Amino acid sequence: MSREIPYKIYLEESEMPKQWYNLRADMKNKPAPLLNPETLQPVTFEELSGIFCEELAKQELNETDTHIDIPEEIQKFYKMYRPAPLVRAYCLEEKLDTPAKIYYKFEGNNTSGSHKLNSAIAQAYYAKKQGLKGVTTETGAGQWGTALSMACSYFDLDCQVYMVKVSYEQKPFRREVMRTYGASVTPSPSETTNIGRQILKEHPGTNGSLGCAISEAVEKAVSTEGYRYVLGSVLNQVLLHQSIIGMETKIALDKYEIVPDIVIGCAGGGSNLGGLIAPFMGEKIRGERDYQIIAVEPASCPSMTRGTYAYDYCDTGRVCPLQKMYTLGSGFMPSPNHAGGLRYHGMSATLSQLYADGLMEARSVEQSAVFEAATQFARVEGILPAPESSHAIRVALDEALKCKETGEEKTIVFGLTGTGYFDMFAYEKFNDGKMTDYIPTDEEIAASCAKLPKVN
Ligand SMILES: *Cc1c(COP(=O)(O)O)cnc(C)c1O
């Protein structure tokens, strides 16, 4: 007997997860270890803790504990803006006239406007606990920097953000939100670091890139007493913190005995997707249940669908550890795409391994099709989605429309990672019919991948 399913499935505070789920502990093929960029040997805890907070370095290397306690202080903060609702998209289903049942987990219910706060608060907490003065980071579109500045102000930590120059100029309001929370924001590349000065010399007038901003932030952290670097995606620790998304989703679905057929998420560095799918993928790996899991990436930055699975640098300046991942090459400069959060050359090592093992699929979608889906969604579901999130919406719509043809009543769950209020420049382009779909050629990708580092 199935109960009537409400529009929004909320959890009671008492039902909220008290532990994060570490999917890697259940993986049969573990992701390859991070390598020290100088020695090309697996990084040690000591090396990692020179860059990251100690507890986070431990989490980064932990592939044995399936569950890790969420400290009380973080649980308290989570309760301010979580649990995030799991929404049954009845209105969208009706509009599409599909027999599919569509659910989305909405992570945009906080000022930063995305899921990034889930990891920002954890990283700020561990930095504070270690007695640090502050942290440095990079931000592309600005969501991560905003989330981190909120988290740092909560714990009274200094927050220094390197913001990709083009976004710094295009998104003054994001910058101002960060400053309102007390962060200092520097456009990258900048004159404040060696790597920044070097990049400016080689590429005068450059718009900057995420990889370059990462290099600056790392350099600043390791050269400043009492500071560490924090990163908003890609790393194992970030996927771990984001598992809160998937665990809440699973608890909510289980309450109503709903079993999804398809789980969909957008993939930039892979953190929201890794978090959303974690408990489902865990069941799949343990042979308990099967799910179709789909990563969606932009056609302009197709790391999984067209990249190479190899060791690569995580940043342009090559100061971060190397990671084995699907990559377009650390020198790959994606064409300007309005989903800034998805413009990263690589993919989380965990997701890369799962994809290599055939446990998940990847699809790439073009920008204008993404904005069509975004607009369609906004008009019926009452949320103006972020361009990044709209990649997942696109594929959810495609799958729901397939069900309409076949008559299948599939249950689709997708991650709606955030809101798009700071992306109106992109919506404006779309509304004016001026959006372009640049897709890199095979030659461009091959040329970039030819420069991958030679590891063993
Ligand atoms: C940053 C961001 C993403 C992509 O990052 P992942 O680490 O791949 O999750 C997706 N959606 C929004 C709204 C973002 O801010």
Side-chain angles (χ1 to χ4, degrees):
M1 251 299 291
S2 71
R3 283 187 284 160
E4 178 83 20
I5 293 159
Y7 276 71
K8 287 198 179 99
I9 308 179
Y10 279 106
L11 304 182
E12 301 294 331
E13 273 179 19
S14 60
E15 295 172 303
M16 285 176 68
K18 294 182 177 53
Q19 294 180 313
W20 290 302
Y21 170 53
N22 185 20
L23 174 62
R24 265 184 315 156
D26 278 334
M27 285 170 68
K28 299 197 174 81
N29 295 332
K30 308 289 184 201
L34 294 168
L35 302 184
N36 179 315
E38 279 159 29
T39 63
L40 297 186
Q41 294 303 307
V43 283
T44 61
F45 169 73
E46 285 68 30
E47 288 164 348
L48 269 188
S49 53
I51 306 176
F52 302 117
C53 304
E54 280 167 23
E55 199 56 39
L56 293 167
K58 261 187 224 158
Q59 291 178 359
E60 195 57 35
L61 299 173
N62 187 332
E63 50 182 39
T64 47
D65 299 321
T66 54
H67 291 83
I68 292 174
D69 288 342
I70 306 176
E72 287 274 337
E73 290 86 338
I74 301 175
Q75 287 191 41
K76 272 194 225 161
F77 190 89
Y78 277 167
K79 282 177 190 161
M80 259 199 292
Y81 69 100
R82 308 193 69 82
L86 180 72
V87 184
R88 171 75 185 267
Y90 282 119
C91 301
L92 181 64
E93 289 169 18
E94 206 177 295
K95 206 75 170 183
L96 295 173
D97 191 23
T98 173
K101 301 178 180 69
I102 309 173
Y103 295 83
Y104 56 90
K105 178 75 167 167
F106 180 48
E107 290 289 326
N109 265 336
N110 67 80
T111 298
S112 79
S114 81
H115 64 284
K116 295 210 171 63
L117 192 56
N118 301 334
S119 183
I121 194 63
Q123 299 198 43
Y125 167 78
Y126 291 118
K128 186 68 183 180
K129 201 169 149 227
Q130 196 177 322
L132 298 177
K133 289 183 205 144
V135 292
T136 69
T137 197
E138 77 295 328
T139 196
Q143 289 100 320
W144 169 244
T146 312
L148 188 69
S149 56
M150 290 174 71
C152 286
S153 68
Y154 184 75
F155 286 120
D156 212 5
L157 276 170
D158 183 38
C159 179
Q160 301 190 4
V161 181
Y162 285 90
M163 186 168 186
V164 176
K165 193 164 142 237
V166 60
S167 307
Y168 182 90
E169 285 159 3
Q170 278 182 0
K171 301 197 169 176
F173 292 157
R174 277 252 177 239
R175 183 177 82 207
E176 232 38 59
V177 177
M178 288 185 251
R179 291 186 350 128
T180 302
Y181 280 97
S184 62
V185 188
T186 309
S188 166
S190 75
E191 296 283 348
T192 66
T193 62
N194 290 329
I195 184 75
R197 285 187 289 271
Q198 190 185 321
I199 291 171
L200 280 174
K201 212 162 110 199
E202 286 166 18
H203 307 276
T206 172
N207 280 331
S209 71
L210 214 46
C212 159
I214 295 176
S215 306
E216 287 205 271
V218 173
E219 182 184 322
K220 186 74 181 186
V222 299
S223 61
T224 314
E225 166 76 29
Y227 280 72
R228 290 292 186 281
Y229 167 70
V230 296
L231 180 59
S233 183
V234 186
L235 297 173
N236 298 318
Q237 51 184 282
V238 186
L239 267 72
L240 175 72
H241 306 147
Q242 296 298 359
S243 68
I244 186 90
I245 304 174
M247 294 177 81
E248 280 183 9
T249 303
K250 185 81 171 57
I251 295 168
L253 291 173
D254 285 348
K255 265 172 95 156
Y256 289 87
E257 294 169 25
I258 305 161
V259 181
D261 298 291
I262 312 178
V263 183
I264 302 167
C266 63
S271 74
N272 87 82
L273 180 67
L276 173 67
I277 68 173
F280 304 99
M281 186 59 89
E283 287 188 334
K284 187 165 168 154
I285 291 172
R286 295 189 303 267
E288 296 162 11
R289 216 170 232 164
D290 199 15
Y291 300 97
Q292 184 182 8
I293 296 176
I294 310 174
V296 191
E297 57 185 17
S300 60
C301 194
S303 50
M304 294 175 103
T305 49
R306 295 176 66 201
T308 304
Y309 190 36
Y311 267 108
D312 193 12
Y313 297 96
C314 292
D315 60 321
T316 317
R318 307 182 163 189
V319 290
C320 290
L322 280 84
Q323 178 169 276
K324 188 173 178 195
M325 58 184 173
Y326 280 89
T327 178
L328 296 164
S330 64
F332 184 79
M333 286 282 177
S335 67
N337 173 292
H338 292 290
L342 305 183
R343 289 184 69 208
Y344 183 66
H345 66 273
M347 184 53 58
S348 120
T350 300
L351 293 186
S352 292
Q353 185 65 52
L354 293 168
Y355 182 54
D357 289 342
L359 289 161
M360 59 188 276
E361 298 165 31
R363 285 189 204 164
S364 70
V365 289
E366 292 178 21
Q367 186 163 239
S368 44
V370 165
F371 275 81
E372 266 162 38
T375 307
Q376 207 174 342
F377 180 85
R379 290 180 185 182
V380 288
E381 285 293 322
I383 294 172
L384 183 85
E388 292 86 352
S389 323
S390 306
H391 287 67
I393 299 177
R394 176 70 268 163
V395 170
L397 292 186
D398 291 345
E399 289 299 321
L401 292 171
K402 261 189 228 164
C403 289
K404 185 175 171 176
E405 273 172 28
T406 61
E408 286 174 290
E409 292 183 26
K410 286 188 180 170
T411 297
I412 300 169
V413 172
F414 73 90
L416 188 69
T417 50
T419 48
Y421 302 123
F422 288 116
D423 299 282
M424 297 323 290
F425 185 63
Y427 276 95
E428 182 185 40
K429 275 255 157 53
F430 178 71
N431 293 332
D432 288 345
K434 289 184 182 152
M435 188 156 268
T436 51
D437 290 314
Y438 183 76
I439 301 172
T441 62
D442 289 343
E443 290 72 28
E444 280 172 279
I445 292 178
S448 176
C449 286
K451 292 184 206 139
L452 285 171
K454 305 277 176 285
V455 180
N456 49 47

